[in-house]
Amino acid sequence: MSSLRVVFAGTGTFAATVLQVLVTHANVVAVITQPSRRKDTNGKILPNPVTELAQRSNIAILDPERIRTIVSDLETIAPDVLIVADYGQIIPDTILNIPRKGALNLHPSLLPKYRGATPIESAILAGDNTTGVTLMVMDSEMDHGAIVAQTSNPLSANETAPELEAKLAFSAAKLLINNLENYLQDKIVAKEQNHNDATYTAMLTKESGFVSEKHTVLQVLRMHRALQPWPGIWSKVLLGGKEKRIKFLNIKKWNGELAQQKINQLFHLENRLGFKLSDGAVQIVEAQIESGKPQTAKDLINGYRIASS
């Protein structure tokens, strides 16, 4: 496999974990990644995780705003195979058709379940106890191609999206290394997905984290785990006679007695701060009121004189 020319496309930490393992087993001649946009406090642009790793490994970097603009560059590189993980753009056929052995994608779900951009978050929100990673052949449709290999992973009731992503990234790297050479030597026949069983995930927006009067305690706890670090979960409460937005930074299930409260309101009971939901409440450990700083429950109780019940 070391003699084959591999191009890797990815951007985030999931991709960087895969790339770090791949470079020890294959001849990665270039990476394709999204332009780095994150800045430090001085306004200096910081490299994304894949760019940073490629720089340390002396791998050529292509970071176009639109991947369709690098067709000629990729033709010059003449890769044998393109490996994609957590890239962030739709890859057109003009790119997919260049590698001699095609393109493979690592997707953090057990396809055909959870096609799309948010499979990790969707698995947590659904309360799944098993998830996994799929290595698939890429075609012109989203997460539609034939399956080369899959691996399952347990999903605990406490895992957050970043924790699950990190776990699945290592599984993805192992899955790729264990199957890539056999696939490239035509020893694995990819199997078409059962497209009738396909489910699709939605893109996250700020509104995805809004906690309404319809949500249950279990749903909010899942949202809290799934929507880290962005968009987080939030609601609107009355404080001092004014409606204010509150972001819940750290919450847990409310245990113990629960007095009668209005839904979607803060309350103070037994030196604890709670937020009432449709079927119970969550205990707030840390939160942030709009235009304010993150505060502990104790500081919020004292600062906003939240009445005890």
Side-chain angles (χ1 to χ4, degrees):
M1 189 163 65
S2 61
S3 63
L4 295 177
R5 296 172 61 79
V6 177
V7 169
F8 179 84
T11 301
T13 53
F14 181 93
T17 298
V18 174
L19 178 59
Q20 190 166 23
V21 175
L22 182 62
V23 296
T24 65
H25 290 80
N27 177 29
V28 181
V29 295
V31 301
I32 305 169
T33 188
Q34 298 266 45
S36 299
R37 295 184 174 89
R38 190 165 55 97
K39 297 181 180 180
D40 63 15
T41 55
N42 297 318
K44 181 182 177 181
I45 294 179
L46 300 172
N48 68 48
V50 166
T51 295
E52 183 178 11
L53 178 56
Q55 289 173 339
R56 293 203 311 264
S57 304
N58 295 315
I59 300 172
I61 300 169
L62 301 172
D63 57 354
E65 288 288 345
R66 294 289 180 266
I67 192 171
R68 63 175 180 266
T69 63
I70 62 166
V71 170
S72 61
D73 299 281
L74 204 56
E75 288 175 338
T76 300
I77 293 171
D80 291 297
V81 65
L82 172 65
I83 305 296
V84 181
D86 184 25
Y87 174 54
Q89 288 188 36
I90 298 296
I91 301 179
D93 286 341
T94 52
I95 297 290
L96 297 179
N97 293 335
I98 293 173
R100 183 174 61 87
K101 288 284 189 176
L104 299 175
N105 179 45
L106 285 161
H107 184 75
S109 83
L110 296 174
L111 291 172
K113 194 175 185 180
Y114 301 140
R115 293 177 179 177
T118 56
I120 291 173
E121 296 88 345
S122 296
I124 295 174
L125 289 171
D128 293 351
N129 54 28
T130 301
T131 183
V133 180
T134 300
L135 178 64
M136 53 168 285
V137 180
M138 297 187 72
D139 61 21
S140 58
E141 297 184 47
M142 182 175 62
D143 300 329
H144 174 275
I147 294 173
V148 175
Q150 288 183 317
T151 185
S152 297
N153 296 83
L155 199 171
S156 79
N158 298 313
E159 279 181 292
T160 65
E163 290 168 343
L164 181 56
E165 179 183 45
K167 183 171 76 175
L168 293 181
F170 283 106
S171 290
K174 184 177 180 180
L175 184 69
L176 177 64
I177 298 308
N178 287 346
N179 291 278
L180 181 57
E181 186 168 8
N182 284 337
Y183 175 77
L184 295 176
Q185 293 178 358
D186 300 320
K187 294 179 180 179
I188 296 177
V189 178
K191 297 180 181 179
E192 184 176 3
Q193 297 183 38
N194 184 344
H195 304 298
N196 292 328
D197 291 341
T199 62
Y200 294 85
T201 63
M203 293 289 291
L204 294 179
T205 68
K206 287 184 179 181
E207 294 302 315
S208 301
F210 177 64
V211 177
S212 76
E213 67 277 0
K214 298 179 181 179
H215 285 115
T216 66
V217 172
L218 181 58
Q219 287 173 329
V220 172
L221 291 173
R222 288 174 179 172
M223 289 169 65
H224 177 54
R225 292 164 45 220
L227 304 182
Q228 297 182 31
W230 187 90
I233 61 171
W234 59 279
S235 193
K236 294 180 179 179
V237 296
L238 285 175
L239 287 173
K242 295 182 179 180
E243 186 177 73
K244 292 184 178 290
R245 178 172 171 145
I246 181 172
K247 187 170 185 179
F248 305 111
L249 303 177
N250 189 359
I251 63 171
K252 59 185 180 180
K253 184 179 180 180
W254 182 278
N255 292 314
E257 295 184 5
L258 184 63
Q260 294 295 319
Q261 303 289 339
K262 291 182 179 180
I263 293 178
N264 276 36
Q265 284 302 310
L266 298 174
F267 63 92
H268 166 207
L269 183 64
E270 299 174 348
N271 296 318
R272 294 182 294 162
L273 182 62
F275 182 77
K276 185 69 169 62
L277 296 163
S278 64
D279 67 340
V282 292
Q283 181 180 339
I284 298 171
V285 179
E286 186 179 17
Q288 184 175 8
I289 307 298
E290 63 180 271
S291 302
K293 297 179 180 180
Q295 293 181 284
T296 64
K298 181 179 179 180
D299 290 338
L300 286 165
I301 291 169
N302 295 333
Y304 289 93
R305 298 181 181 179
I306 298 170
S308 60
S309 298

